[in-house]
Amino acid sequence: MLQRVILAIFAITAPQFALAQDDANGVTFRFGLGPSFAPEYFGSDETAPGVGAKFRLESLQLGGLSLGGGDNYGLGVTGSFRFIGERSADDFGELAGLEDIDASLELGGGLEFTTPYYDIFAVLRYGIVGHESFVAEFGSDVYYRPTDQLTFKAGPRLLVGDDDYAQTYFGVSGADTLSDFSAGGGLVSAGAVAEATYAINDDWDVIGTVKYDQLQSDAADSPITQSQDQISGSIVLTRKITFGF
């Protein structure tokens, strides 16, 4: 089913590419890192410091095709990524006996509809490193801009994962103190995000983010889950980067 969704996304987004005239090939994106905090693992009731990252594709020029540029309002395509740190059972007494989980990198993309006042998006990612499963994320934001440099946005989020994803992070087998549990795919979490962006100049932004997720379905029922309420946040300095080729 998720494979069909991928094909549908590419089929829908293909018309978003427009012919360009005499422009050099290149890509422009924003990327940044900064301090963050998040639950120690999915379902944990304790938080831990870490490193947060932000990425956004702004424009792509390849031969006679172009994507993005300008205000980017209307229907278009967007890239998406997420990094998930490793989980070692030796670090948490309550997880004793479980297999360790390697760090994962999810890459993907999807559709977004953007206006000056709100946006709506749906993205699909695959764990190219680590869990090797599919997740889909859906969300919307409303915007408030008190000044030209400062932007606030906030809105709901939903995360859906397939069976392999759910079993990787919420399934239990062979644990010392937890009952075996087979986790099925579906809605993993529902929550909201609030974010403030301060534009230092055209190239540099500072982005502060706070996110609340409530685990759902098998993710909430798993013996691994100590708390359904998951809170995370970050402050990230991003830089606009352009590569020509």
Side-chain angles (χ1 to χ4, degrees), residues 114-133:
T114 305
T115 78
Y117 310 106
Y118 68 89
D119 66 37
I120 303 170
F121 71 87
V123 296
L124 186 67
R125 297 188 298 264
Y126 179 75
I128 62 170
V129 176
H131 62 67
E132 296 183 347
S133 50

Side-chain angles (χ1 to χ4, degrees), residues 13 18 20 26 37 40 47 63 82 88 92 105 110 112 147-148 153 164 181-182 190 198-199 214 225 238-239:
T13 58
F37 68 92
E40 292 182 323
T47 59
R82 183 172 65 152
S88 174
F92 309 102
L105 177 63
E112 66 175 353
T147 70
D148 291 339
K153 70 175 185 178
D164 289 340
F181 181 80
S182 180
Y198 180 77
Q214 185 178 73
T225 299
T238 70
R239 175 71 158 85

Side-chain angles (χ1 to χ4, degrees), residues 21-203:
Q21 301 293 328
D22 301 326
D23 286 332
N25 294 333
V27 59
T28 298
F29 60 91
R30 286 190 177 273
F31 179 76
L33 299 171
S36 69
F37 68 92
E40 292 182 323
Y41 56 86
F42 294 144
S44 174
D45 58 359
E46 300 289 339
T47 59
V51 177
K54 294 286 187 182
F55 172 84
R56 180 173 180 84
L57 177 66
E58 294 199 342
S59 65
L60 173 66
Q61 184 74 44
L62 183 61
L65 302 176
S66 70
L67 171 66
D71 290 330
N72 292 325
Y73 295 142
L75 183 64
V77 296
T78 183
S80 180
F81 93 108
R82 183 172 65 152
F83 176 79
I84 304 172
E86 67 179 2
R87 189 186 77 188
S88 174
D90 291 339
D91 295 335
F92 309 102
E94 66 271 24
L95 303 183
L98 291 179
E99 293 185 359
D100 294 341
I101 300 175
D102 294 334
S104 295
L105 177 63
E106 300 171 358
L107 291 180
L111 296 174
E112 66 175 353
F113 182 79
T114 305
T115 78
Y117 310 106
Y118 68 89
D119 66 37
I120 303 170
F121 71 87
V123 296
L124 186 67
R125 297 188 298 264
Y126 179 75
I128 62 170
V129 176
H131 62 67
E132 296 183 347
S133 50
F134 287 98
V135 296
E137 188 174 6
F138 307 89
S140 178
D141 291 302
V142 294
Y143 291 82
Y144 172 61
R145 298 179 176 87
T147 70
D148 291 339
Q149 290 179 287
L150 186 60
T151 300
F152 295 99
K153 70 175 185 178
R157 296 291 188 274
L158 296 175
L159 181 71
V160 177
D162 67 12
D163 288 345
D164 289 340
Y165 178 85
Q167 184 63 23
T168 297
Y169 292 104
F170 298 100
V172 178
S173 178
D176 293 347
T177 60
L178 302 177
S179 301
D180 286 359
F181 181 80
S182 180
L187 182 61
V188 175
S189 65
V193 174
E195 187 170 276
T197 300
Y198 180 77
I200 300 172
N201 52 41
D202 290 341
D203 293 327

